[in-house]
Amino acid sequence: MGTIAGADGVSAPERAQDPAGRTAPEERGSAAVEFTFLALLLMVPLVYFIITVGQIQGGAFAVVGAADQAAKVYVAQADAEAGRTAAEQAVLVALADYGHPAENARMETSCDPSECFAPGSAVTVTVHLTVPLPFVPFNDSFRLNVSQLDASATQVVGRFR
């Protein structure tokens, strides 16, 4: 016994049937298209979010390391001018290690008491870093920033030099 083929050349048992028993048109290949479309629609923002969080985390590590190294270098110098110059260099090196440009950062120093190199005085270095939105080619004109990160470190000037 043969099977009766429809106008499209597909026999009735090969056609998909809905719950009511009616034959539905074929949808071969549409699952792959739908999966690809939804994967792109959902995965691209997810990957971009992960990259952005990574930039913020890298910036956080960078400012903590930069502030710590700058404070240590500052108190090891002979005078305030040499200390500030050495601390700025330490900040630039630490930020460059994490891939952040110098123009996105600034450094502040403060001393307690006001005489920075008096034995026992505490020198605090604060580093501020602006983390830009990644992969934005026109970021210079719009200034799209993800986060503003700050870190401070304090070192005590030793009694014996």
Side-chain angles (χ1 to χ4, degrees):
M1 266 187 133
T3 58
I4 301 174
D8 58 358
V10 178
S11 64
E14 293 177 7
R15 286 196 179 100
Q17 294 187 352
D18 63 4
R22 297 180 301 240
T23 55
E26 284 208 30
E27 295 185 14
R28 287 195 181 178
S30 67
V33 173
E34 290 169 1
F35 175 76
T36 304
F37 176 72
L38 287 175
L40 284 174
L41 188 66
L42 297 174
M43 294 301 286
V44 169
L46 180 66
V47 168
Y48 190 78
F49 175 74
I50 291 170
I51 291 170
T52 303
V53 169
Q55 288 286 338
I56 294 170
Q57 187 66 38
F61 287 144
V63 294
V64 168
D68 185 47
Q69 291 302 314
K72 288 177 182 177
V73 167
Y74 191 95
V75 299
Q77 301 304 313
D79 61 5
E81 185 60 35
R84 180 150 183 87
T85 303
E88 287 174 352
Q89 278 301 112
V91 167
L92 294 178
V93 169
L95 292 177
D97 285 346
Y98 286 93
H100 293 282
E103 55 268 4
N104 291 348
R106 62 185 172 84
M107 182 190 82
E108 298 172 357
T109 58
S110 63
C111 302
D112 184 32
S114 63
E115 174 57 41
C116 288
F117 285 94
S121 66
V123 176
T124 301
V125 176
T126 304
V127 177
H128 306 280
L129 177 67
T130 302
V131 179
L133 200 59
F135 305 123
V136 179
F138 47 84
N139 198 16
D140 293 339
S141 56
F142 288 117
R143 303 201 192 289
L144 301 173
N145 299 321
V146 174
S147 182
Q148 174 70 33
L149 303 171
D150 304 316
S152 296
T154 302
Q155 288 287 318
V156 177
V157 176
R159 200 183 304 173
F160 304 104
R161 299 185 122 229

